[in-house]
Amino acid sequence: MDPEKVYQMAFSKIYPLLVSKAEKKGRSMQEVDQIICWLTGYRTEDIRHAAENSVSYGDFFRNAPCPNPDRKKIKGVVCGVRVENIQEPLMQEIRYLDKLVDELAKGKTMEKILRQ
C-alpha cells in the first residue's frame, strides 16, 4: 500500500481495528491505550480526542508528544517486513504500533511488550 494513503487514513478508523484485534484475543482497550501511551507519549484523553476527531494517522504519529526512546528496541516482522529495517521513519512508527498490538493479541505480557 502507498505510504501516503496510510498516512492520510483517519485515526478514528484505525483505532477501533487495533482495539478489536486485541479484544478478539481476550485483551482490552485499556491495554491498547497503555501501549499507545508508552509508544507516543499521548495521554488516554489525547487518544480519545484523536479517535473522535478527524486526525490523520500520519499526523497522530507526527505530533506524538514524546516518542519513547525504547521503541527502537522493537524488533520483528509485521506484514512480512522487519520493523527495524523500515527506512521511512513515519511508516516505522506506525509499524511499531502494529507490532506491539500483534504481541498483545498473541498473549505477551505488558512487561515484555513495553520492553521493561
Side-chain angles (χ1 to χ4, degrees):
M1 179 178 266
D2 176 25
E4 282 306 315
K5 286 185 180 182
V6 174
Y7 303 155
Q8 293 173 13
M9 295 171 94
F11 180 76
S12 63
K13 301 281 187 204
I14 303 295
Y15 177 70
L17 299 174
L18 297 171
V19 171
S20 176
K21 182 175 191 171
E23 289 179 338
K24 285 179 185 175
K25 298 294 184 169
R27 304 307 287 260
S28 70
M29 178 174 64
Q30 290 77 17
E31 288 173 306
V32 173
D33 290 350
Q34 184 180 355
I35 287 170
I36 294 171
C37 291
W38 177 87
L39 183 64
T40 63
Y42 283 116
R43 298 168 300 152
T44 304
E45 311 83 74
D46 302 324
I47 297 168
R48 295 287 167 274
H49 178 77
E52 293 168 0
N53 292 285
S54 58
V55 175
S56 73
Y57 206 35
D59 284 345
F60 181 79
F61 283 95
R62 282 185 199 102
N63 299 325
C66 187
N68 191 316
D70 285 342
R71 73 194 188 287
K72 298 296 182 182
K73 295 178 182 177
I74 301 169
K75 309 276 188 237
V77 178
V78 173
C79 298
V81 178
R82 296 200 74 62
V83 294
E84 63 269 27
N85 295 339
I86 296 172
Q87 297 299 309
E88 168 59 38
L90 185 55
M91 183 56 73
Q92 188 175 47
E93 298 296 327
I94 288 169
R95 293 302 185 191
Y96 283 154
L97 179 56
D98 291 341
K99 179 65 178 162
L100 296 179
V101 172
D102 282 353
E103 290 178 1
L104 181 67
K106 289 179 181 172
K108 278 196 174 184
T109 65
M110 287 302 286
E111 186 175 272
K112 287 185 180 180
I113 293 168
L114 303 182
R115 296 352 193 219
Q116 298 174 338

